[in-house]
Amino acid sequence: MHALVPPPGAPKGQPLLAERLARAITLGGPIPVGQFMAAANAHYYATRDPLGVGGDFTTSPEISQMFGELIGAWAADLWDRAGRPEVAWVELGPGRGTLTADAVRAMRAAGFTPPIHLVETSPALRRVQAAALPDATWHDDVATLPNDLPLIVVANEFFDVLPIRQLVRGPDGWRERLVACQDTMFLPIAGGAIPPGIMPAALDAAAPGSVVETSPAGVAIMAGLAALIETQGGAMLVIDYGYEGPAVGDTLQAIRGHAYANPFEAPGEQDLTAHVDFATLGLAAEASGCVRSGPVGQGTFLTALGIDARAAALGARVTVDRRRLVEEMGTLFRVMALRHRDWPEPAGFA
Ligand code: SAH
């Protein structure tokens, strides 16, 4: 194996993630795609703020204040029609904290000032969030969220970073997709056979080489939150790029410097994501008793919430931002809401 040269600024005495993964695979054999993705993203997010022009990618709240403001107004309207109960605001994977900071302004204007809870694993991003939201409470995962209040939960581009499992069609059935390592190159291979009867029959006709994805981590988080909403009340808003599965397709992608890259290269140095299966997430929440709205396109949702009026009020400087949010990100990005059955139907889906 070639020695990998640590990048400038890498902590001394600690082997690079690529080197550690290569050693683990050499010693223990190929690892599932999900394990590779989880290790890569944990390192990636723990060691940097990847958002914005100088980073690797830009998200809707970073494009324009209108995004967080409209979601704050959405939440305030829902809270108002629910009878103004005491509730907690929760954001999953808040990045720089911009969405919640913009939402807080809009909610305060409507007389709604919920306590702020942020679910975030990255110490680097927690520091950035603390500057924007000094009064927030942080959580490592959803298990420690308040258990005595209705929750309004928002997740923008959160589910796409969670590790997926990939299955690849072989000549004789489905196989787990694994990551092997040759010299210092990582590459996907077909691993052990999946027992018959586990994969949806609709996918039986898939051609050899086809890939199907599942998101055990996403489903577990969704089921956990839906169970909280079912007992405590409240609602959840999921915004992400995705599809309604089950469907065939390899959506694992790496983004670095605002361009696509090989997802099996440079683990921990680029953002690994997969498209989100809204149908499966919705079913997981419905199984816990929640009621679903959508998914609808982000363009439809923001237009229904009044982005045109907000953009007109802010003036010509936001014309381009409005177009990016509503048109360029208008259909691949989808919005889905889940709510307690006694809560009112949220705005934006009719
Ligand atoms: N929602 C933000 C940031 C999206 S990037 C925005 O739209 O701008 C993904 C975010 O999820 C980052 O804040 C990242 O640190 C966080 N994250 C990644 N994996 C996580 C996990 N397992 N639990 C909680 N947060 C996670």
Side-chain angles (χ1 to χ4, degrees), residues 41 45-46 50-51 57 59-62 67 91-96 99 119-122 125 129 139-141 155-158 161-163 221 271:
N41 273 349
Y45 282 103
L51 288 145
F57 59 93
T59 56
S60 296
E62 300 299 331
F67 191 76
E91 190 181 352
L92 309 180
R96 287 184 175 164
L99 190 161
V119 179
E120 175 60 67
T121 43
S122 159
L125 286 171
Q129 292 155 18
H139 302 263
D140 287 325
D141 62 59
N156 184 63
E157 289 208 43
F158 168 74
V161 305
L162 299 176
I221 290 173
D271 183 38

PDB file of all heavy atoms in Angstrom, residues 41 45-46 50-51 57 59-62 67 91-96 99 119-122 125 129 139-141 155-158 161-163 221 271, ligand 1:
ATOM      1  N   ASN A  41     -18.652  10.881   5.941  1.00  0.00           N
ATOM      2  CA  ASN A  41     -19.391  12.102   6.281  1.00  0.00           C
ATOM      3  C   ASN A  41     -19.150  12.547   7.719  1.00  0.00           C
ATOM      4  O   ASN A  41     -19.119  13.747   7.996  1.00  0.00           O
ATOM      5  CB  ASN A  41     -20.889  11.917   6.018  1.00  0.00           C
ATOM      6  CG  ASN A  41     -21.249  12.241   4.574  1.00  0.00           C
ATOM      7  OD1 ASN A  41     -20.432  12.798   3.840  1.00  0.00           O
ATOM      8  ND2 ASN A  41     -22.452  11.891   4.175  1.00  0.00           N
ATOM      9  N   TYR A  45     -17.938  16.389   8.030  1.00  0.00           N
ATOM     10  CA  TYR A  45     -18.671  17.450   8.730  1.00  0.00           C
ATOM     11  C   TYR A  45     -18.010  17.844  10.042  1.00  0.00           C
ATOM     12  O   TYR A  45     -18.155  18.988  10.495  1.00  0.00           O
ATOM     13  CB  TYR A  45     -20.127  17.031   8.964  1.00  0.00           C
ATOM     14  CG  TYR A  45     -20.968  17.175   7.711  1.00  0.00           C
ATOM     15  CD1 TYR A  45     -21.327  16.079   6.952  1.00  0.00           C
ATOM     16  CD2 TYR A  45     -21.361  18.435   7.280  1.00  0.00           C
ATOM     17  CE1 TYR A  45     -22.076  16.221   5.798  1.00  0.00           C
ATOM     18  CE2 TYR A  45     -22.108  18.593   6.126  1.00  0.00           C
ATOM     19  CZ  TYR A  45     -22.464  17.487   5.393  1.00  0.00           C
ATOM     20  OH  TYR A  45     -23.195  17.650   4.244  1.00  0.00           O
ATOM     21  N   ALA A  46     -17.287  16.903  10.669  1.00  0.00           N
ATOM     22  CA  ALA A  46     -16.663  17.233  11.953  1.00  0.00           C
ATOM     23  C   ALA A  46     -15.510  18.205  11.783  1.00  0.00           C
ATOM     24  O   ALA A  46     -15.110  18.873  12.732  1.00  0.00           O
ATOM     25  CB  ALA A  46     -16.178  15.958  12.641  1.00  0.00           C
ATOM     26  N   PRO A  50     -18.707  23.364   5.409  1.00  0.00           N
ATOM     27  CA  PRO A  50     -18.623  23.160   3.963  1.00  0.00           C
ATOM     28  C   PRO A  50     -19.516  24.078   3.146  1.00  0.00           C
ATOM     29  O   PRO A  50     -19.518  24.009   1.913  1.00  0.00           O
ATOM     30  CB  PRO A  50     -19.100  21.717   3.809  1.00  0.00           C
ATOM     31  CG  PRO A  50     -20.096  21.536   4.913  1.00  0.00           C
ATOM     32  CD  PRO A  50     -19.614  22.403   6.058  1.00  0.00           C
ATOM     33  N   LEU A  51     -20.306  24.949   3.813  1.00  0.00           N
ATOM     34  CA  LEU A  51     -21.364  25.673   3.104  1.00  0.00           C
ATOM     35  C   LEU A  51     -20.878  26.998   2.518  1.00  0.00           C
ATOM     36  O   LEU A  51     -20.000  27.642   3.085  1.00  0.00           O
ATOM     37  CB  LEU A  51     -22.524  25.942   4.062  1.00  0.00           C
ATOM     38  CG  LEU A  51     -23.325  24.683   4.397  1.00  0.00           C
ATOM     39  CD1 LEU A  51     -23.824  24.717   5.822  1.00  0.00           C
ATOM     40  CD2 LEU A  51     -24.473  24.537   3.421  1.00  0.00           C
ATOM     41  N   PHE A  57     -20.619  23.352  -1.188  1.00  0.00           N
ATOM     42  CA  PHE A  57     -21.975  23.421  -1.749  1.00  0.00           C
ATOM     43  C   PHE A  57     -22.774  24.520  -1.060  1.00  0.00           C
ATOM     44  O   PHE A  57     -22.379  25.022  -0.010  1.00  0.00           O
ATOM     45  CB  PHE A  57     -22.700  22.071  -1.613  1.00  0.00           C
ATOM     46  CG  PHE A  57     -22.830  21.581  -0.192  1.00  0.00           C
ATOM     47  CD1 PHE A  57     -23.952  21.870   0.551  1.00  0.00           C
ATOM     48  CD2 PHE A  57     -21.814  20.825   0.393  1.00  0.00           C
ATOM     49  CE1 PHE A  57     -24.071  21.421   1.866  1.00  0.00           C
ATOM     50  CE2 PHE A  57     -21.935  20.369   1.703  1.00  0.00           C
ATOM     51  CZ  PHE A  57     -23.060  20.670   2.437  1.00  0.00           C
ATOM     52  N   THR A  59     -26.864  25.742   0.044  1.00  0.00           N
ATOM     53  CA  THR A  59     -28.217  25.230   0.283  1.00  0.00           C
ATOM     54  C   THR A  59     -29.232  26.375   0.237  1.00  0.00           C
ATOM     55  O   THR A  59     -28.847  27.550   0.284  1.00  0.00           O
ATOM     56  CB  THR A  59     -28.285  24.567   1.671  1.00  0.00           C
ATOM     57  OG1 THR A  59     -27.859  25.528   2.636  1.00  0.00           O
ATOM     58  CG2 THR A  59     -27.385  23.335   1.743  1.00  0.00           C
ATOM     59  N   SER A  60     -30.517  26.032   0.209  1.00  0.00           N
ATOM     60  CA  SER A  60     -31.564  27.058   0.081  1.00  0.00           C
ATOM     61  C   SER A  60     -31.470  28.166   1.137  1.00  0.00           C
ATOM     62  O   SER A  60     -31.554  29.343   0.790  1.00  0.00           O
ATOM     63  CB  SER A  60     -32.949  26.408   0.134  1.00  0.00           C
ATOM     64  OG  SER A  60     -33.117  25.565  -0.974  1.00  0.00           O
ATOM     65  N   PRO A  61     -31.313  27.833   2.437  1.00  0.00           N
ATOM     66  CA  PRO A  61     -31.241  28.936   3.411  1.00  0.00           C
ATOM     67  C   PRO A  61     -30.031  29.841   3.188  1.00  0.00           C
ATOM     68  O   PRO A  61     -30.076  31.030   3.546  1.00  0.00           O
ATOM     69  CB  PRO A  61     -31.153  28.236   4.774  1.00  0.00           C
ATOM     70  CG  PRO A  61     -30.922  26.792   4.508  1.00  0.00           C
ATOM     71  CD  PRO A  61     -31.354  26.523   3.107  1.00  0.00           C
ATOM     72  N   GLU A  62     -28.960  29.302   2.582  1.00  0.00           N
ATOM     73  CA  GLU A  62     -27.771  30.117   2.314  1.00  0.00           C
ATOM     74  C   GLU A  62     -27.946  30.946   1.050  1.00  0.00           C
ATOM     75  O   GLU A  62     -27.243  31.935   0.844  1.00  0.00           O
ATOM     76  CB  GLU A  62     -26.523  29.233   2.189  1.00  0.00           C
ATOM     77  CG  GLU A  62     -26.201  28.407   3.435  1.00  0.00           C
ATOM     78  CD  GLU A  62     -25.927  29.269   4.667  1.00  0.00           C
ATOM     79  OE1 GLU A  62     -25.448  30.409   4.503  1.00  0.00           O
ATOM     80  OE2 GLU A  62     -26.233  28.807   5.788  1.00  0.00           O
ATOM     81  N   PHE A  67     -36.049  31.932   2.372  1.00  0.00           N
ATOM     82  CA  PHE A  67     -36.335  30.519   2.618  1.00  0.00           C
ATOM     83  C   PHE A  67     -36.683  30.291   4.098  1.00  0.00           C
ATOM     84  O   PHE A  67     -37.756  29.776   4.428  1.00  0.00           O
ATOM     85  CB  PHE A  67     -35.125  29.681   2.187  1.00  0.00           C
ATOM     86  CG  PHE A  67     -35.397  28.198   2.148  1.00  0.00           C
ATOM     87  CD1 PHE A  67     -36.117  27.637   1.111  1.00  0.00           C
ATOM     88  CD2 PHE A  67     -34.928  27.371   3.161  1.00  0.00           C
ATOM     89  CE1 PHE A  67     -36.367  26.269   1.074  1.00  0.00           C
ATOM     90  CE2 PHE A  67     -35.172  26.005   3.131  1.00  0.00           C
ATOM     91  CZ  PHE A  67     -35.889  25.454   2.088  1.00  0.00           C
ATOM     92  N   GLU A  91     -34.502  21.807  14.721  1.00  0.00           N
ATOM     93  CA  GLU A  91     -33.950  21.649  13.371  1.00  0.00           C
ATOM     94  C   GLU A  91     -32.932  20.513  13.386  1.00  0.00           C
ATOM     95  O   GLU A  91     -32.097  20.410  14.289  1.00  0.00           O
ATOM     96  CB  GLU A  91     -33.306  22.934  12.835  1.00  0.00           C
ATOM     97  CG  GLU A  91     -32.979  22.742  11.342  1.00  0.00           C
ATOM     98  CD  GLU A  91     -32.298  23.911  10.643  1.00  0.00           C
ATOM     99  OE1 GLU A  91     -32.164  25.005  11.221  1.00  0.00           O
ATOM    100  OE2 GLU A  91     -31.886  23.695   9.473  1.00  0.00           O
ATOM    101  N   LEU A  92     -33.011  19.667  12.363  1.00  0.00           N
ATOM    102  CA  LEU A  92     -32.061  18.555  12.204  1.00  0.00           C
ATOM    103  C   LEU A  92     -30.947  18.982  11.256  1.00  0.00           C
ATOM    104  O   LEU A  92     -31.229  19.466  10.165  1.00  0.00           O
ATOM    105  CB  LEU A  92     -32.766  17.326  11.619  1.00  0.00           C
ATOM    106  CG  LEU A  92     -34.056  16.860  12.286  1.00  0.00           C
ATOM    107  CD1 LEU A  92     -34.595  15.621  11.562  1.00  0.00           C
ATOM    108  CD2 LEU A  92     -33.825  16.544  13.757  1.00  0.00           C
ATOM    109  N   GLY A  93     -29.705  18.834  11.645  1.00  0.00           N
ATOM    110  CA  GLY A  93     -28.575  19.166  10.770  1.00  0.00           C
ATOM    111  C   GLY A  93     -28.623  20.597  10.291  1.00  0.00           C
ATOM    112  O   GLY A  93     -28.765  20.855   9.096  1.00  0.00           O
ATOM    113  N   PRO A  94     -28.525  21.578  11.203  1.00  0.00           N
ATOM    114  CA  PRO A  94     -28.790  22.984  10.841  1.00  0.00           C
ATOM    115  C   PRO A  94     -27.669  23.697  10.090  1.00  0.00           C
ATOM    116  O   PRO A  94     -27.834  24.886   9.788  1.00  0.00           O
ATOM    117  CB  PRO A  94     -29.018  23.669  12.193  1.00  0.00           C
ATOM    118  CG  PRO A  94     -28.929  22.611  13.236  1.00  0.00           C
ATOM    119  CD  PRO A  94     -28.272  21.416  12.646  1.00  0.00           C
ATOM    120  N   GLY A  95     -26.559  23.035   9.767  1.00  0.00           N
ATOM    121  CA  GLY A  95     -25.525  23.718   8.982  1.00  0.00           C
ATOM    122  C   GLY A  95     -24.981  24.926   9.721  1.00  0.00           C
ATOM    123  O   GLY A  95     -24.446  24.824  10.813  1.00  0.00           O
ATOM    124  N   ARG A  96     -25.155  26.115   9.134  1.00  0.00           N
ATOM    125  CA  ARG A  96     -24.709  27.354   9.784  1.00  0.00           C
ATOM    126  C   ARG A  96     -25.756  27.958  10.711  1.00  0.00           C
ATOM    127  O   ARG A  96     -25.553  29.041  11.257  1.00  0.00           O
ATOM    128  CB  ARG A  96     -24.378  28.385   8.715  1.00  0.00           C
ATOM    129  CG  ARG A  96     -23.110  28.072   7.987  1.00  0.00           C
ATOM    130  CD  ARG A  96     -22.820  29.194   7.024  1.00  0.00           C
ATOM    131  NE  ARG A  96     -21.543  28.983   6.376  1.00  0.00           N
ATOM    132  CZ  ARG A  96     -21.176  29.633   5.282  1.00  0.00           C
ATOM    133  NH1 ARG A  96     -21.996  30.527   4.744  1.00  0.00           N
ATOM    134  NH2 ARG A  96     -20.007  29.398   4.743  1.00  0.00           N
ATOM    135  N   LEU A  99     -31.190  28.882   8.539  1.00  0.00           N
ATOM    136  CA  LEU A  99     -32.635  28.669   8.383  1.00  0.00           C
ATOM    137  C   LEU A  99     -33.356  29.024   9.687  1.00  0.00           C
ATOM    138  O   LEU A  99     -34.325  29.794   9.693  1.00  0.00           O
ATOM    139  CB  LEU A  99     -32.926  27.210   7.986  1.00  0.00           C
ATOM    140  CG  LEU A  99     -34.349  26.864   7.550  1.00  0.00           C
ATOM    141  CD1 LEU A  99     -34.358  25.559   6.770  1.00  0.00           C
ATOM    142  CD2 LEU A  99     -35.341  26.759   8.708  1.00  0.00           C
ATOM    143  N   VAL A 119     -30.343  19.477  16.428  1.00  0.00           N
ATOM    144  CA  VAL A 119     -29.724  18.149  16.419  1.00  0.00           C
ATOM    145  C   VAL A 119     -28.531  18.222  15.472  1.00  0.00           C
ATOM    146  O   VAL A 119     -28.704  18.397  14.256  1.00  0.00           O
ATOM    147  CB  VAL A 119     -30.720  17.065  15.962  1.00  0.00           C
ATOM    148  CG1 VAL A 119     -30.050  15.695  15.939  1.00  0.00           C
ATOM    149  CG2 VAL A 119     -31.949  17.045  16.883  1.00  0.00           C
ATOM    150  N   GLU A 120     -27.337  18.148  16.021  1.00  0.00           N
ATOM    151  CA  GLU A 120     -26.129  18.374  15.216  1.00  0.00           C
ATOM    152  C   GLU A 120     -24.980  17.569  15.807  1.00  0.00           C
ATOM    153  O   GLU A 120     -24.720  17.665  17.002  1.00  0.00           O
ATOM    154  CB  GLU A 120     -25.779  19.866  15.212  1.00  0.00           C
ATOM    155  CG  GLU A 120     -24.482  20.211  14.512  1.00  0.00           C
ATOM    156  CD  GLU A 120     -24.472  19.809  13.048  1.00  0.00           C
ATOM    157  OE1 GLU A 120     -25.226  20.382  12.257  1.00  0.00           O
ATOM    158  OE2 GLU A 120     -23.707  18.871  12.699  1.00  0.00           O
ATOM    159  N   THR A 121     -24.292  16.798  14.968  1.00  0.00           N
ATOM    160  CA  THR A 121     -23.170  15.990  15.456  1.00  0.00           C
ATOM    161  C   THR A 121     -21.815  16.670  15.265  1.00  0.00           C
ATOM    162  O   THR A 121     -20.855  16.294  15.914  1.00  0.00           O
ATOM    163  CB  THR A 121     -23.144  14.626  14.727  1.00  0.00           C
ATOM    164  OG1 THR A 121     -23.401  14.840  13.345  1.00  0.00           O
ATOM    165  CG2 THR A 121     -24.183  13.679  15.293  1.00  0.00           C
ATOM    166  N   SER A 122     -21.734  17.649  14.370  1.00  0.00           N
ATOM    167  CA  SER A 122     -20.426  18.240  14.051  1.00  0.00           C
ATOM    168  C   SER A 122     -20.041  19.334  15.049  1.00  0.00           C
ATOM    169  O   SER A 122     -20.730  20.346  15.173  1.00  0.00           O
ATOM    170  CB  SER A 122     -20.479  18.846  12.644  1.00  0.00           C
ATOM    171  OG  SER A 122     -19.450  19.802  12.490  1.00  0.00           O
ATOM    172  N   LEU A 125     -19.568  22.708  13.155  1.00  0.00           N
ATOM    173  CA  LEU A 125     -20.793  23.429  12.790  1.00  0.00           C
ATOM    174  C   LEU A 125     -21.562  23.892  14.028  1.00  0.00           C
ATOM    175  O   LEU A 125     -22.215  24.926  13.992  1.00  0.00           O
ATOM    176  CB  LEU A 125     -21.659  22.576  11.859  1.00  0.00           C
ATOM    177  CG  LEU A 125     -21.078  22.513  10.439  1.00  0.00           C
ATOM    178  CD1 LEU A 125     -21.808  21.493   9.583  1.00  0.00           C
ATOM    179  CD2 LEU A 125     -21.120  23.883   9.770  1.00  0.00           C
ATOM    180  N   GLN A 129     -23.175  27.524  14.548  1.00  0.00           N
ATOM    181  CA  GLN A 129     -24.588  27.670  14.946  1.00  0.00           C
ATOM    182  C   GLN A 129     -24.710  28.496  16.232  1.00  0.00           C
ATOM    183  O   GLN A 129     -25.640  29.294  16.383  1.00  0.00           O
ATOM    184  CB  GLN A 129     -25.223  26.287  15.144  1.00  0.00           C
ATOM    185  CG  GLN A 129     -25.376  25.500  13.838  1.00  0.00           C
ATOM    186  CD  GLN A 129     -25.423  23.998  14.046  1.00  0.00           C
ATOM    187  OE1 GLN A 129     -25.674  23.518  15.152  1.00  0.00           O
ATOM    188  NE2 GLN A 129     -25.158  23.235  12.995  1.00  0.00           N
ATOM    189  N   HIS A 139     -28.322  18.770  20.585  1.00  0.00           N
ATOM    190  CA  HIS A 139     -28.517  17.330  20.825  1.00  0.00           C
ATOM    191  C   HIS A 139     -27.672  16.534  19.827  1.00  0.00           C
ATOM    192  O   HIS A 139     -27.553  16.921  18.661  1.00  0.00           O
ATOM    193  CB  HIS A 139     -29.993  16.947  20.611  1.00  0.00           C
ATOM    194  CG  HIS A 139     -30.938  17.719  21.486  1.00  0.00           C
ATOM    195  ND1 HIS A 139     -31.429  17.222  22.668  1.00  0.00           N
ATOM    196  CD2 HIS A 139     -31.459  18.962  21.351  1.00  0.00           C
ATOM    197  CE1 HIS A 139     -32.231  18.124  23.224  1.00  0.00           C
ATOM    198  NE2 HIS A 139     -32.261  19.192  22.448  1.00  0.00           N
ATOM    199  N   ASP A 140     -27.138  15.404  20.296  1.00  0.00           N
ATOM    200  CA  ASP A 140     -26.392  14.510  19.393  1.00  0.00           C
ATOM    201  C   ASP A 140     -27.338  13.732  18.490  1.00  0.00           C
ATOM    202  O   ASP A 140     -27.002  13.391  17.362  1.00  0.00           O
ATOM    203  CB  ASP A 140     -25.559  13.505  20.189  1.00  0.00           C
ATOM    204  CG  ASP A 140     -24.360  14.177  20.830  1.00  0.00           C
ATOM    205  OD1 ASP A 140     -23.809  15.101  20.206  1.00  0.00           O
ATOM    206  OD2 ASP A 140     -23.994  13.783  21.946  1.00  0.00           O
ATOM    207  N   ASP A 141     -28.507  13.398  19.004  1.00  0.00           N
ATOM    208  CA  ASP A 141     -29.514  12.727  18.183  1.00  0.00           C
ATOM    209  C   ASP A 141     -30.901  13.009  18.746  1.00  0.00           C
ATOM    210  O   ASP A 141     -31.033  13.698  19.761  1.00  0.00           O
ATOM    211  CB  ASP A 141     -29.234  11.225  18.024  1.00  0.00           C
ATOM    212  CG  ASP A 141     -29.266  10.505  19.351  1.00  0.00           C
ATOM    213  OD1 ASP A 141     -30.323  10.549  20.013  1.00  0.00           O
ATOM    214  OD2 ASP A 141     -28.249   9.909  19.728  1.00  0.00           O
ATOM    215  N   ALA A 155     -36.211  19.814   8.649  1.00  0.00           N
ATOM    216  CA  ALA A 155     -34.985  19.165   8.182  1.00  0.00           C
ATOM    217  C   ALA A 155     -34.767  19.532   6.723  1.00  0.00           C
ATOM    218  O   ALA A 155     -35.480  19.053   5.847  1.00  0.00           O
ATOM    219  CB  ALA A 155     -35.102  17.652   8.324  1.00  0.00           C
ATOM    220  N   ASN A 156     -33.810  20.431   6.451  1.00  0.00           N
ATOM    221  CA  ASN A 156     -33.475  20.786   5.067  1.00  0.00           C
ATOM    222  C   ASN A 156     -32.129  20.178   4.708  1.00  0.00           C
ATOM    223  O   ASN A 156     -31.132  20.434   5.389  1.00  0.00           O
ATOM    224  CB  ASN A 156     -33.407  22.310   4.901  1.00  0.00           C
ATOM    225  CG  ASN A 156     -33.166  22.695   3.447  1.00  0.00           C
ATOM    226  OD1 ASN A 156     -33.997  22.417   2.594  1.00  0.00           O
ATOM    227  ND2 ASN A 156     -32.033  23.302   3.158  1.00  0.00           N
ATOM    228  N   GLU A 157     -32.087  19.403   3.641  1.00  0.00           N
ATOM    229  CA  GLU A 157     -30.848  18.722   3.213  1.00  0.00           C
ATOM    230  C   GLU A 157     -30.176  18.015   4.382  1.00  0.00           C
ATOM    231  O   GLU A 157     -28.967  18.129   4.585  1.00  0.00           O
ATOM    232  CB  GLU A 157     -29.890  19.709   2.527  1.00  0.00           C
ATOM    233  CG  GLU A 157     -30.425  20.130   1.160  1.00  0.00           C
ATOM    234  CD  GLU A 157     -29.314  20.502   0.186  1.00  0.00           C
ATOM    235  OE1 GLU A 157     -28.317  19.785   0.155  1.00  0.00           O
ATOM    236  OE2 GLU A 157     -29.485  21.498  -0.527  1.00  0.00           O
ATOM    237  N   PHE A 158     -30.964  17.306   5.180  1.00  0.00           N
ATOM    238  CA  PHE A 158     -30.437  16.496   6.280  1.00  0.00           C
ATOM    239  C   PHE A 158     -30.475  15.016   5.921  1.00  0.00           C
ATOM    240  O   PHE A 158     -29.463  14.315   6.024  1.00  0.00           O
ATOM    241  CB  PHE A 158     -31.246  16.760   7.555  1.00  0.00           C
ATOM    242  CG  PHE A 158     -30.954  15.778   8.647  1.00  0.00           C
ATOM    243  CD1 PHE A 158     -29.772  15.834   9.365  1.00  0.00           C
ATOM    244  CD2 PHE A 158     -31.864  14.764   8.957  1.00  0.00           C
ATOM    245  CE1 PHE A 158     -29.486  14.908  10.366  1.00  0.00           C
ATOM    246  CE2 PHE A 158     -31.599  13.836   9.962  1.00  0.00           C
ATOM    247  CZ  PHE A 158     -30.394  13.917  10.672  1.00  0.00           C
ATOM    248  N   VAL A 161     -27.704  13.240   3.678  1.00  0.00           N
ATOM    249  CA  VAL A 161     -26.332  12.944   4.126  1.00  0.00           C
ATOM    250  C   VAL A 161     -26.252  11.667   4.962  1.00  0.00           C
ATOM    251  O   VAL A 161     -25.160  11.222   5.304  1.00  0.00           O
ATOM    252  CB  VAL A 161     -25.684  14.103   4.940  1.00  0.00           C
ATOM    253  CG1 VAL A 161     -25.707  15.397   4.158  1.00  0.00           C
ATOM    254  CG2 VAL A 161     -26.313  14.281   6.307  1.00  0.00           C
ATOM    255  N   LEU A 162     -27.404  11.089   5.309  1.00  0.00           N
ATOM    256  CA  LEU A 162     -27.377   9.887   6.149  1.00  0.00           C
ATOM    257  C   LEU A 162     -26.938   8.683   5.316  1.00  0.00           C
ATOM    258  O   LEU A 162     -27.236   8.599   4.118  1.00  0.00           O
ATOM    259  CB  LEU A 162     -28.761   9.646   6.753  1.00  0.00           C
ATOM    260  CG  LEU A 162     -29.268  10.782   7.648  1.00  0.00           C
ATOM    261  CD1 LEU A 162     -30.687  10.484   8.126  1.00  0.00           C
ATOM    262  CD2 LEU A 162     -28.347  11.010   8.848  1.00  0.00           C
ATOM    263  N   PRO A 163     -26.232   7.737   5.933  1.00  0.00           N
ATOM    264  CA  PRO A 163     -25.703   6.608   5.162  1.00  0.00           C
ATOM    265  C   PRO A 163     -26.803   5.743   4.563  1.00  0.00           C
ATOM    266  O   PRO A 163     -27.799   5.441   5.213  1.00  0.00           O
ATOM    267  CB  PRO A 163     -24.884   5.819   6.188  1.00  0.00           C
ATOM    268  CG  PRO A 163     -25.325   6.299   7.521  1.00  0.00           C
ATOM    269  CD  PRO A 163     -25.813   7.700   7.344  1.00  0.00           C
ATOM    270  N   ILE A 221     -34.584   7.429  12.060  1.00  0.00           N
ATOM    271  CA  ILE A 221     -34.754   8.779  12.610  1.00  0.00           C
ATOM    272  C   ILE A 221     -36.191   9.251  12.395  1.00  0.00           C
ATOM    273  O   ILE A 221     -36.833   9.808  13.293  1.00  0.00           O
ATOM    274  CB  ILE A 221     -33.735   9.748  11.976  1.00  0.00           C
ATOM    275  CG1 ILE A 221     -32.332   9.405  12.496  1.00  0.00           C
ATOM    276  CG2 ILE A 221     -34.089  11.202  12.284  1.00  0.00           C
ATOM    277  CD1 ILE A 221     -31.207  10.178  11.839  1.00  0.00           C
ATOM    278  N   ASP A 271     -18.358  15.871   0.315  1.00  0.00           N
ATOM    279  CA  ASP A 271     -19.692  15.593   0.853  1.00  0.00           C
ATOM    280  C   ASP A 271     -20.313  14.413   0.096  1.00  0.00           C
ATOM    281  O   ASP A 271     -20.431  14.464  -1.116  1.00  0.00           O
ATOM    282  CB  ASP A 271     -20.545  16.860   0.659  1.00  0.00           C
ATOM    283  CG  ASP A 271     -21.933  16.720   1.249  1.00  0.00           C
ATOM    284  OD1 ASP A 271     -22.066  16.108   2.319  1.00  0.00           O
ATOM    285  OD2 ASP A 271     -22.883  17.237   0.639  1.00  0.00           O
TER     286      ASP A 271
HETATM  287  N1  SAH B   1     -29.607  22.180   6.899  1.00  0.00           N
HETATM  288  C1  SAH B   1     -28.413  22.936   6.553  1.00  0.00           C
HETATM  289  C2  SAH B   1     -27.147  22.079   6.400  1.00  0.00           C
HETATM  290  C3  SAH B   1     -27.225  20.866   5.502  1.00  0.00           C
HETATM  291  S1  SAH B   1     -25.707  19.961   5.484  1.00  0.00           S
HETATM  292  C4  SAH B   1     -28.668  23.770   5.321  1.00  0.00           C
HETATM  293  O1  SAH B   1     -29.672  23.534   4.649  1.00  0.00           O
HETATM  294  O2  SAH B   1     -27.869  24.655   5.024  1.00  0.00           O
HETATM  295  C5  SAH B   1     -26.060  18.606   6.596  1.00  0.00           C
HETATM  296  C6  SAH B   1     -26.090  18.963   8.060  1.00  0.00           C
HETATM  297  O3  SAH B   1     -26.369  17.766   8.814  1.00  0.00           O
HETATM  298  C7  SAH B   1     -24.803  19.507   8.664  1.00  0.00           C
HETATM  299  O4  SAH B   1     -25.136  20.440   9.652  1.00  0.00           O
HETATM  300  C8  SAH B   1     -24.164  18.257   9.264  1.00  0.00           C
HETATM  301  O5  SAH B   1     -23.169  18.506  10.231  1.00  0.00           O
HETATM  302  C9  SAH B   1     -25.384  17.587   9.835  1.00  0.00           C
HETATM  303  N2  SAH B   1     -25.278  16.142  10.077  1.00  0.00           N
HETATM  304  C10 SAH B   1     -24.707  15.203   9.287  1.00  0.00           C
HETATM  305  N3  SAH B   1     -24.891  13.970   9.798  1.00  0.00           N
HETATM  306  C11 SAH B   1     -25.606  14.134  10.942  1.00  0.00           C
HETATM  307  C12 SAH B   1     -26.139  13.226  11.923  1.00  0.00           C
HETATM  308  N4  SAH B   1     -25.963  11.922  11.814  1.00  0.00           N
HETATM  309  N5  SAH B   1     -26.832  13.749  12.956  1.00  0.00           N
HETATM  310  C13 SAH B   1     -27.033  15.094  13.054  1.00  0.00           C
HETATM  311  N6  SAH B   1     -26.556  15.984  12.159  1.00  0.00           N
HETATM  312  C14 SAH B   1     -25.860  15.511  11.118  1.00  0.00           C
END
